[in-house]
Amino acid sequence: MIAVVAERRRLLIDSCRLQCADEQRRFALEDHESRYLRRVLRLRPDDQVDVVDGCGHLWTARLLEDHRLELCSGIEAASQQVGAPSPKLGLAIAVIRRGMDDVMRMACELGVDQLQPIHCQRCVPQAEHRPDRWRSIVQEAVEQCERLWAPELSELRAVDDWWEAPDGSDLRLIAVTRAAEITPLSVLLADQASADQSIWLAIGPEGGWSDRELAAAAAAGWVPVSLGGTILRSSTAAVAGITSLTNWRTLRC
């Protein structure tokens, strides 16, 4: 007979707030968290919820009457603890007019560790830039997909300032189209000897990279890769690329 474990929803709480819990391991909920637990999940006092800090730890907590949570164990005695994913996977994506919300959500669900929105020459003026909404989407995705490590979402940067930003030891890949003799991402990953160095994948805007941007990327050590034989929308390319990277990491680890 197979035992069925009842689902218990998760709440992502910043580790600083958890560290500031009182002697009874209690801390106050913010208004939106209280509404979520009581009105959306319909939890009642004494019901339990799992709390994660986005840094590899999970605790069981109990909902109290006065809009607070009480950890069922000490902060030093997490119910679950896992190390950070290795190697780290980063996605740098040009802001686009439609689809950024989906990219943020799906990249988080698939396991990306760093998210870097970038502004490129051919980004349209109507391109979405909603960092507060993206942070909310990422938080909800972490809770929904049961990750213990939350991805880092960085502020928007101009691509000209971005090429040199990743560590020089990172494997830095840039997705390109309509270029002859470009190595497919899957082939490059199959030949990747090390599973330790971080990997970045850069996805351009719907209008594609400019010649100046491609030259700057090449000068900074970015390696061009192909994501397939068809032309993909930026949002599709981001999901396809991250899927290949996370599948590779799963098989290598």
Side-chain angles (χ1 to χ4, degrees), residues 13-30 33 45-46 51 59-76:
I13 302 290
D14 186 90
S15 59
C16 292
R17 291 174 58 198
L18 296 176
Q19 294 290 341
C20 293
D22 63 21
E23 294 180 355
Q24 286 77 41
R25 304 185 302 276
R26 298 175 177 180
F27 61 93
L29 293 166
E30 296 181 354
E33 295 166 343
D46 288 330
V51 172
W59 298 263
T60 298
R62 182 171 67 92
L63 182 63
L64 303 178
E65 288 274 7
D66 54 354
H67 302 282
R68 291 190 297 168
L69 280 181
E70 178 185 87
L71 298 179
C72 296
S73 61
I75 193 68
E76 72 288 345

Side-chain angles (χ1 to χ4, degrees), residues 24-25 32 45 48 50 58 89 100 109 115 154 162 200 219 222 228 238:
Q24 286 77 41
R25 304 185 302 276
H32 71 278
Q48 292 186 334
D50 287 338
L58 178 146
L89 304 177
M100 283 295 288
E109 291 176 359
L115 288 161
S154 300
W162 163 246
W200 277 96
W222 288 75

Side-chain angles (χ1 to χ4, degrees), residues 19-231:
Q19 294 290 341
C20 293
D22 63 21
E23 294 180 355
Q24 286 77 41
R25 304 185 302 276
R26 298 175 177 180
F27 61 93
L29 293 166
E30 296 181 354
D31 288 344
H32 71 278
E33 295 166 343
S34 182
R35 287 195 299 271
Y36 173 66
L37 294 179
R38 295 174 182 274
R39 299 183 184 179
V40 178
L41 300 186
R42 299 190 180 280
L43 298 185
R44 297 179 179 180
D46 288 330
D47 284 345
Q48 292 186 334
V49 63
D50 287 338
V51 172
V52 296
D53 63 356
C55 299
H57 304 92
L58 178 146
W59 298 263
T60 298
R62 182 171 67 92
L63 182 63
L64 303 178
E65 288 274 7
D66 54 354
H67 302 282
R68 291 190 297 168
L69 280 181
E70 178 185 87
L71 298 179
C72 296
S73 61
I75 193 68
E76 72 288 345
S79 301
Q80 293 183 38
Q81 181 174 349
V82 299
S86 179
K88 287 188 175 182
L89 304 177
L91 173 66
I93 180 169
V95 288
I96 53 180
R97 183 175 180 180
R98 295 186 181 91
M100 283 295 288
D101 290 0
D102 290 335
V103 168
M104 294 293 170
R105 175 180 56 80
M106 288 188 281
C108 178
E109 291 176 359
L110 289 167
V112 74
D113 304 298
Q114 300 177 83
L115 288 161
Q116 177 63 65
I118 52 177
H119 190 274
C120 303
Q121 182 177 342
R122 292 176 179 167
C123 288
V124 297
Q126 300 87 359
E128 297 177 354
H129 179 221
R130 300 189 286 182
D132 290 340
R133 177 169 175 77
W134 295 342
R135 279 190 286 271
S136 177
I137 287 172
V138 168
Q139 174 168 340
E140 291 171 2
V142 169
E143 296 168 345
Q144 183 275 325
C145 72
E146 300 188 356
R147 289 184 61 165
L148 292 189
W149 283 87
E152 177 185 350
L153 174 59
S154 300
E155 296 295 330
L156 179 69
R157 293 186 62 171
V159 71
D160 290 341
D161 299 329
W162 163 246
W163 297 127
E164 300 281 358
D167 191 280
S169 64
D170 294 348
L171 177 59
R172 292 158 292 172
L173 309 175
I174 177 172
V176 298
T177 58
R178 300 190 179 93
E181 300 181 357
I182 296 299
T183 304
L185 175 59
S186 58
V187 173
L188 185 146
L189 292 174
D191 293 337
Q192 186 67 13
S194 173
D196 297 325
Q197 65 182 146
S198 296
I199 302 177
W200 277 96
L201 177 65
I203 304 292
E206 302 290 0
W209 304 106
S210 68
D211 291 341
R212 178 173 58 81
E213 289 167 345
L214 289 173
W222 288 75
V223 179
V225 293
S226 168
L227 297 180
T230 58
I231 305 300

Side-chain angles (χ1 to χ4, degrees), residues 1-19:
M1 182 176 180
I2 299 176
V4 178
V5 179
E7 179 184 19
R8 188 158 62 220
R9 298 302 295 271
R10 298 188 177 195
L11 191 65
L12 176 61
I13 302 290
D14 186 90
S15 59
C16 292
R17 291 174 58 198
L18 296 176
Q19 294 290 341

